[in-house]
Amino acid sequence: MRWNATLMSSFLFNVALILCCATSAIQFCAKAFAAYAQETAVQEIFGHTLENLQGIRYLYVFNLFQYIFIVMFAVTFIYFLAVERKRLKRKGKKQAPSST
């Protein structure tokens, strides 16, 4: 993001992406460390409250946010391996060889 060159829609998309990832990361940690999270607010929210809501119940009962979190990680990792490696190679070729 550049100063005075970022559109508001792309900024809002990035914020929404961060919020979705934060929710899924918290749910992933709450499920993974359920023994440590007993009797806490996180367990109350993810363990009882959200699993009983009608509209989004199935997102939490079937752990869809966790799967989305893992898929986003995999897609980002593959993108980084494919695209960023090429970009780093191009950047390395553009640098002048050092003559010492």
Side-chain angles (χ1 to χ4, degrees), residues 45-61:
I45 292 170
F46 287 103
H48 305 294
T49 307
L50 290 177
E51 289 181 0
N52 292 325
L53 290 176
Q54 287 183 344
I56 60 173
R57 174 184 184 180
Y58 299 106
L59 295 175
Y60 292 97
V61 171

Side-chain angles (χ1 to χ4, degrees), residues 57-87:
R57 174 184 184 180
Y58 299 106
L59 295 175
Y60 292 97
V61 171
F62 296 119
N63 299 322
L64 289 179
F65 276 125
Q66 291 179 5
Y67 294 131
I68 292 169
F69 178 68
I70 293 170
V71 167
M72 288 294 290
F73 168 76
V75 167
T76 305
F77 186 72
I78 291 169
Y79 173 80
F80 180 75
L81 287 178
V83 175
E84 293 297 323
R85 185 177 287 177
K86 290 178 185 176
R87 189 179 301 170

Side-chain angles (χ1 to χ4, degrees), residues 1-75:
M1 295 191 324
R2 286 181 273 145
W3 183 259
N4 289 334
T6 304
L7 296 175
M8 183 58 77
S9 60
S10 62
F11 179 71
L12 289 176
F13 175 78
N14 289 335
V15 169
L17 190 62
I18 289 170
L19 287 175
C20 288
C21 290
T23 304
S24 60
I26 292 170
Q27 183 192 14
F28 180 77
C29 291
K31 293 280 186 172
F33 304 112
Y36 299 109
Q38 290 178 354
E39 305 297 327
T40 62
V42 171
Q43 183 64 29
E44 178 67 30
I45 292 170
F46 287 103
H48 305 294
T49 307
L50 290 177
E51 289 181 0
N52 292 325
L53 290 176
Q54 287 183 344
I56 60 173
R57 174 184 184 180
Y58 299 106
L59 295 175
Y60 292 97
V61 171
F62 296 119
N63 299 322
L64 289 179
F65 276 125
Q66 291 179 5
Y67 294 131
I68 292 169
F69 178 68
I70 293 170
V71 167
M72 288 294 290
F73 168 76
V75 167

